[in-house]
Amino acid sequence: SSKREVRLEFEGEGGACVLRALVDSGNLATEPISGKAVVFASLDSCRAALGERIFETIANFSLEDMSKNMALKLRLIPTKSVSGESVLPAIKFKGAYAYTGKERKALDVWVAFVPQSSLGEYDAIISDEAII
């Protein structure tokens, strides 16, 4: 089978980052309140765009220790996989773009953070629907 990939760019408080993403038709995750698509991305790959304060908050994720201001920026994404169920912290970047060939497309997505080890050779996983 052939793998389809795109390049993603996220712009946030800390700057920008560029990620190599696998397009996965099986990624049906949505943010529960808005219904927007969810991109699963490596926290380390997004560090530059997040800025240190947000990066540290997500890396040490704890609802009890989170400031009210930070809690307003994050959403919790429920996930279910073969390894079980969990809740992942997600944010909406100021800018999110997909590059397919020479075309740049603005995205309206939430980005949930997962360990790099769960992404294999990619930095992120995005659904077909998010880039259509």
Side-chain angles (χ1 to χ4, degrees):
S1 68
S2 64
K3 292 181 182 177
R4 189 167 144 228
E5 61 182 70
V6 295
R7 187 174 51 127
L8 300 178
E9 179 181 4
F10 297 128
E11 297 171 351
E13 287 185 19
C17 64
V18 176
L19 288 72
R20 184 171 161 242
L22 173 68
V23 178
D24 180 7
S25 61
N27 175 5
L28 305 176
T30 57
E31 189 278 321
I33 298 171
S34 67
K36 301 292 182 189
V38 173
V39 175
F40 295 98
S42 158
L43 180 59
D44 288 332
S45 296
C46 294
R47 186 175 195 149
L50 290 168
E52 282 306 307
R53 184 175 57 86
I54 296 174
F55 175 84
E56 290 299 329
T57 298
I58 294 171
N60 303 307
F61 183 63
S62 167
L63 289 174
E64 294 80 27
D65 298 335
M66 192 178 307
S67 71
K68 183 178 179 181
N69 186 40
M70 187 60 69
L72 293 172
K73 293 181 182 189
L74 292 177
R75 295 282 172 85
L76 300 178
I77 309 297
T79 63
K80 186 186 292 187
S81 67
V82 294
S83 61
E85 296 179 10
S86 66
V87 177
L88 300 172
I91 68 159
K92 193 163 185 65
F93 281 101
K94 292 177 187 175
Y97 307 94
Y99 292 86
T100 55
K102 294 181 181 179
E103 183 183 350
R104 178 185 189 204
K105 182 179 187 324
L107 303 175
D108 189 9
V109 297
W110 284 84
V111 180
F113 299 99
V114 296
Q116 179 66 48
S117 60
S118 63
L119 297 169
E121 63 188 271
Y122 297 95
D123 301 310
I125 296 174
I126 188 169
S127 68
D128 274 323
E129 292 179 0
I131 55 176
I132 292 176

